[in-house]
CSV table of all heavy atoms in Angstrom, one decimal:
chain,number,residue,atom,x,y,z
A,4,LYS,N,146.1,148.9,55.7
A,4,LYS,CA,146.4,150.2,56.2
A,4,LYS,C,147.8,150.2,56.9
A,4,LYS,O,148.6,151.1,56.8
A,4,LYS,CB,145.4,150.8,57.1
A,4,LYS,CG,144.0,151.2,56.4
A,4,LYS,CD,143.0,151.7,57.5
A,4,LYS,CE,141.7,152.1,56.8
A,4,LYS,NZ,140.7,152.5,57.8
A,5,ALA,N,148.0,149.1,57.7
A,5,ALA,CA,149.2,149.0,58.4
A,5,ALA,C,150.4,149.0,57.5
A,5,ALA,O,151.4,149.6,57.7
A,5,ALA,CB,149.2,147.8,59.3
A,6,LEU,N,150.3,148.1,56.5
A,6,LEU,CA,151.4,148.0,55.5
A,6,LEU,C,151.7,149.3,54.8
A,6,LEU,O,152.8,149.7,54.6
A,6,LEU,CB,151.1,146.9,54.5
A,6,LEU,CG,151.1,145.5,55.0
A,6,LEU,CD1,150.7,144.5,53.9
A,6,LEU,CD2,152.5,145.1,55.5
A,7,GLY,N,150.6,150.1,54.5
A,7,GLY,CA,150.8,151.4,53.9
A,7,GLY,C,151.5,152.4,54.8
A,7,GLY,O,152.3,153.1,54.3
A,8,VAL,N,151.1,152.4,56.0
A,8,VAL,CA,151.8,153.3,57.0
A,8,VAL,C,153.2,153.0,57.2
A,8,VAL,O,154.1,153.8,57.2
A,8,VAL,CB,151.0,153.3,58.3
A,8,VAL,CG1,151.9,154.0,59.4
A,8,VAL,CG2,149.7,154.0,58.2
A,9,ILE,N,153.5,151.7,57.3
A,9,ILE,CA,154.9,151.2,57.4
A,9,ILE,C,155.8,151.6,56.2
A,9,ILE,O,156.9,152.2,56.3
A,9,ILE,CB,155.0,149.7,57.7
A,9,ILE,CG1,154.5,149.4,59.0
A,9,ILE,CG2,156.5,149.2,57.6
A,9,ILE,CD1,154.4,147.9,59.3
A,10,ALA,N,155.2,151.4,55.0
A,10,ALA,CA,155.9,151.9,53.8
A,10,ALA,C,156.1,153.4,53.8
A,10,ALA,O,157.1,153.9,53.3
A,10,ALA,CB,155.0,151.4,52.6
A,11,ALA,N,155.1,154.1,54.2
A,11,ALA,CA,155.2,155.6,54.2
A,11,ALA,C,156.3,156.0,55.2
A,11,ALA,O,157.1,156.9,54.9
A,11,ALA,CB,153.9,156.2,54.6
A,12,ILE,N,156.4,155.4,56.3
A,12,ILE,CA,157.5,155.7,57.3
A,12,ILE,C,158.8,155.4,56.7
A,12,ILE,O,159.8,156.2,56.8
A,12,ILE,CB,157.2,154.9,58.6
A,12,ILE,CG1,156.0,155.5,59.3
A,12,ILE,CG2,158.5,155.0,59.5
A,12,ILE,CD1,155.6,154.7,60.6
A,13,VAL,N,159.0,154.2,56.1
A,13,VAL,CA,160.3,153.9,55.5
A,13,VAL,C,160.7,154.8,54.4
A,13,VAL,O,161.8,155.3,54.4
A,13,VAL,CB,160.2,152.4,55.0
A,13,VAL,CG1,161.5,152.1,54.3
A,13,VAL,CG2,160.1,151.4,56.2
A,14,LEU,N,159.8,155.1,53.5
A,14,LEU,CA,160.1,156.0,52.3
A,14,LEU,C,160.3,157.4,52.8
A,14,LEU,O,161.2,158.1,52.4
A,14,LEU,CB,159.0,155.9,51.3
A,14,LEU,CG,158.8,154.6,50.5
A,14,LEU,CD1,157.6,154.6,49.6
A,14,LEU,CD2,160.1,154.3,49.7
A,15,GLY,N,159.4,157.8,53.7
A,15,GLY,CA,159.6,159.2,54.2
A,15,GLY,C,160.9,159.4,55.0
A,15,GLY,O,161.6,160.4,54.9
A,16,GLY,N,161.3,158.3,55.7
A,16,GLY,CA,162.5,158.4,56.5
A,16,GLY,C,163.7,158.5,55.5
A,16,GLY,O,164.7,159.2,55.8
A,17,ARG,N,163.6,157.7,54.4
A,17,ARG,CA,164.7,157.7,53.5
A,17,ARG,C,164.8,159.1,52.7
A,17,ARG,O,165.9,159.6,52.5
A,17,ARG,CB,164.5,156.6,52.4
A,17,ARG,CG,164.7,155.2,53.0
A,17,ARG,CD,166.1,154.8,52.9
A,17,ARG,NE,166.3,153.4,53.4
A,17,ARG,CZ,167.5,152.9,53.7
A,17,ARG,NH1,168.5,153.7,53.7
A,17,ARG,NH2,167.6,151.7,54.2
A,18,LEU,N,163.7,159.6,52.3
A,18,LEU,CA,163.7,160.8,51.4
A,18,LEU,C,163.6,162.1,52.1
A,18,LEU,O,164.1,163.1,51.6
A,18,LEU,CB,162.6,160.6,50.4
A,18,LEU,CG,162.6,159.3,49.5
A,18,LEU,CD1,161.4,159.3,48.7
A,18,LEU,CD2,163.9,159.3,48.7
A,19,LEU,N,162.9,162.2,53.3
A,19,LEU,CA,162.5,163.5,53.8
A,19,LEU,C,163.2,163.8,55.1
A,19,LEU,O,163.4,165.0,55.4
A,19,LEU,CB,161.0,163.5,54.0
A,19,LEU,CG,160.1,163.3,52.7
A,19,LEU,CD1,158.6,163.3,53.1
A,19,LEU,CD2,160.4,164.4,51.7
A,20,LEU,N,163.4,162.8,56.0
A,20,LEU,CA,163.8,163.1,57.4
A,20,LEU,C,165.2,163.8,57.4
A,20,LEU,O,165.3,164.8,58.1
A,20,LEU,CB,163.9,161.8,58.2
A,20,LEU,CG,162.6,161.3,58.7
A,20,LEU,CD1,162.9,160.0,59.6
A,20,LEU,CD2,161.9,162.3,59.6
A,21,ARG,N,166.2,163.3,56.7
A,21,ARG,CA,167.5,164.0,56.8
A,21,ARG,C,167.5,165.4,56.3
A,21,ARG,O,168.0,166.3,56.9
A,21,ARG,CB,168.5,163.1,56.0
A,21,ARG,CG,168.9,161.9,56.7
A,21,ARG,CD,170.1,161.2,56.1
A,21,ARG,NE,170.4,159.9,56.6
A,21,ARG,CZ,171.5,159.2,56.3
A,21,ARG,NH1,172.3,159.6,55.4
A,21,ARG,NH2,171.7,158.0,56.8
A,22,PRO,N,166.9,165.7,55.1
A,22,PRO,CA,166.8,167.1,54.6
A,22,PRO,C,166.0,168.0,55.6
A,22,PRO,O,166.4,169.1,55.9
A,22,PRO,CB,166.1,167.0,53.3
A,22,PRO,CG,166.3,165.6,52.8
A,22,PRO,CD,166.4,164.8,54.0
A,23,ALA,N,165.0,167.4,56.2
A,23,ALA,CA,164.2,168.2,57.2
A,23,ALA,C,165.0,168.5,58.4
A,23,ALA,O,165.1,169.7,58.9
A,23,ALA,CB,162.9,167.5,57.6
A,24,LEU,N,165.7,167.5,59.0
A,24,LEU,CA,166.6,167.7,60.1
A,24,LEU,C,167.7,168.7,59.8
A,24,LEU,O,168.2,169.5,60.6
A,24,LEU,CB,167.1,166.4,60.6
A,24,LEU,CG,166.1,165.5,61.3
A,24,LEU,CD1,166.7,164.2,61.7
A,24,LEU,CD2,165.5,166.1,62.6
A,25,ARG,N,168.3,168.6,58.6
A,25,ARG,CA,169.4,169.5,58.2
A,25,ARG,C,168.9,170.9,58.1
A,25,ARG,O,169.6,171.9,58.6
A,25,ARG,CB,169.9,169.1,56.8
A,25,ARG,CG,171.2,169.8,56.4
A,25,ARG,CD,171.7,169.2,55.1
A,25,ARG,NE,172.1,167.8,55.2
A,25,ARG,CZ,171.5,166.8,54.5
A,25,ARG,NH1,170.6,167.1,53.6
A,25,ARG,NH2,171.9,165.6,54.7
A,26,TRP,N,167.7,171.1,57.6
A,26,TRP,CA,167.1,172.5,57.6
A,26,TRP,C,166.8,173.0,59.0
A,26,TRP,O,167.1,174.2,59.2
A,26,TRP,CB,165.8,172.4,56.8
A,26,TRP,CG,165.1,173.7,56.7
A,26,TRP,CD1,165.5,174.8,56.0
A,26,TRP,CD2,163.9,174.1,57.4
A,26,TRP,NE1,164.6,175.8,56.1
A,26,TRP,CE2,163.6,175.4,57.0
A,26,TRP,CE3,163.0,173.4,58.2
A,26,TRP,CZ2,162.5,176.1,57.5
A,26,TRP,CZ3,161.9,174.1,58.7
A,26,TRP,CH2,161.6,175.4,58.3
A,27,ILE,N,166.3,172.2,59.9
A,27,ILE,CA,166.1,172.6,61.2
A,27,ILE,C,167.4,172.9,62.0
A,27,ILE,O,167.5,173.9,62.7
A,27,ILE,CB,165.2,171.5,62.0
A,27,ILE,CG1,163.9,171.4,61.3
A,27,ILE,CG2,165.1,171.9,63.5
A,27,ILE,CD1,163.1,170.2,61.8
A,28,ALA,N,168.4,172.0,61.8
A,28,ALA,CA,169.7,172.3,62.4
A,28,ALA,C,170.3,173.6,61.9
A,28,ALA,O,171.0,174.2,62.7
A,28,ALA,CB,170.6,171.1,62.2
A,29,GLY,N,170.0,173.9,60.7
A,29,GLY,CA,170.6,175.2,60.1
A,29,GLY,C,170.1,176.4,60.8
A,29,GLY,O,170.7,177.5,60.7
A,30,SER,N,169.0,176.3,61.6
A,30,SER,CA,168.5,177.5,62.3
A,30,SER,C,169.3,177.8,63.5
A,30,SER,O,169.2,178.8,64.1
A,30,SER,CB,167.0,177.2,62.8
A,30,SER,OG,167.0,176.2,63.8
A,31,ARG,N,170.2,176.8,63.9
A,31,ARG,CA,171.1,176.9,65.1
A,31,ARG,C,170.3,177.4,66.3
A,31,ARG,O,170.8,178.2,67.1
A,31,ARG,CB,172.2,178.0,64.7
A,31,ARG,CG,173.0,177.6,63.5
A,31,ARG,CD,174.2,178.5,63.3
A,31,ARG,NE,174.9,178.2,62.1
A,31,ARG,CZ,175.8,177.2,62.0
A,31,ARG,NH1,176.1,176.4,63.0
A,31,ARG,NH2,176.4,176.9,60.8
A,32,THR,N,169.2,176.7,66.5
A,32,THR,CA,168.4,177.0,67.7
A,32,THR,C,168.2,175.6,68.4
A,32,THR,O,167.3,174.8,68.0
A,32,THR,CB,167.0,177.6,67.4
A,32,THR,OG1,167.2,178.7,66.5
A,32,THR,CG2,166.3,178.0,68.6
A,33,PRO,N,169.0,175.3,69.5
A,33,PRO,CA,168.9,174.0,70.1
A,33,PRO,C,167.6,173.5,70.5
A,33,PRO,O,167.2,172.4,70.4
A,33,PRO,CB,169.9,174.1,71.3
A,33,PRO,CG,170.8,175.3,70.9
A,33,PRO,CD,169.9,176.2,70.1
A,34,GLU,N,166.8,174.5,71.1
A,34,GLU,CA,165.5,174.0,71.6
A,34,GLU,C,164.5,173.6,70.5
A,34,GLU,O,163.7,172.8,70.7
A,34,GLU,CB,164.9,175.1,72.5
A,34,GLU,CG,164.6,176.4,71.7
A,34,GLU,CD,165.7,177.4,71.8
A,34,GLU,OE1,166.9,176.9,72.0
A,34,GLU,OE2,165.5,178.6,71.6
A,35,ILE,N,164.7,174.2,69.3
A,35,ILE,CA,163.8,173.9,68.2
A,35,ILE,C,164.2,172.5,67.7
A,35,ILE,O,163.4,171.7,67.3
A,35,ILE,CB,164.0,174.9,67.1
A,35,ILE,CG1,163.4,176.2,67.5
A,35,ILE,CG2,163.2,174.4,65.8
A,35,ILE,CD1,161.9,176.2,67.9
A,36,PHE,N,165.5,172.2,67.7
A,36,PHE,CA,165.9,170.8,67.3
A,36,PHE,C,165.4,169.8,68.3
A,36,PHE,O,165.0,168.7,67.9
A,36,PHE,CB,167.5,170.7,67.2
A,36,PHE,CG,167.9,169.5,66.5
A,36,PHE,CD1,168.1,169.5,65.1
A,36,PHE,CD2,168.2,168.3,67.2
A,36,PHE,CE1,168.6,168.3,64.5
A,36,PHE,CE2,168.6,167.2,66.6
A,36,PHE,CZ,168.8,167.2,65.2
A,37,THR,N,165.4,170.1,69.6
A,37,THR,CA,164.8,169.2,70.6
A,37,THR,C,163.3,169.0,70.3
A,37,THR,O,162.8,167.9,70.4
A,37,THR,CB,165.0,169.8,72.0
A,37,THR,OG1,166.4,170.0,72.2
A,37,THR,CG2,164.4,168.9,73.0
A,38,ALA,N,162.6,170.1,70.0
A,38,ALA,CA,161.2,170.0,69.7
A,38,ALA,C,161.0,169.2,68.5
A,38,ALA,O,160.0,168.4,68.4
A,38,ALA,CB,160.6,171.4,69.5
C-alpha cells in the first residue's frame, strides 16, 4: 500500500498538480490559493 501511495503522489504531482494550481490561480483570489 505504501508503494502504491508513493507512486500515486509522484504521478499525480507530475500530471495533475500544476494544471490544478493554474486553474485555482486563474480565479485571482489569493485566499483561495492559500487554502
Side-chain angles (χ1 to χ4, degrees):
K4 290 180 179 179
L6 292 175
V8 167
I9 292 174
I12 290 174
V13 173
L14 291 176
R17 292 269 183 198
L18 302 176
L19 301 177
L20 279 183
R21 287 193 187 182
L24 289 175
R25 189 176 298 119
W26 178 71
I27 294 167
S30 69
R31 302 187 183 279
T32 310
E34 61 271 19
I35 295 301
F36 193 89
T37 301

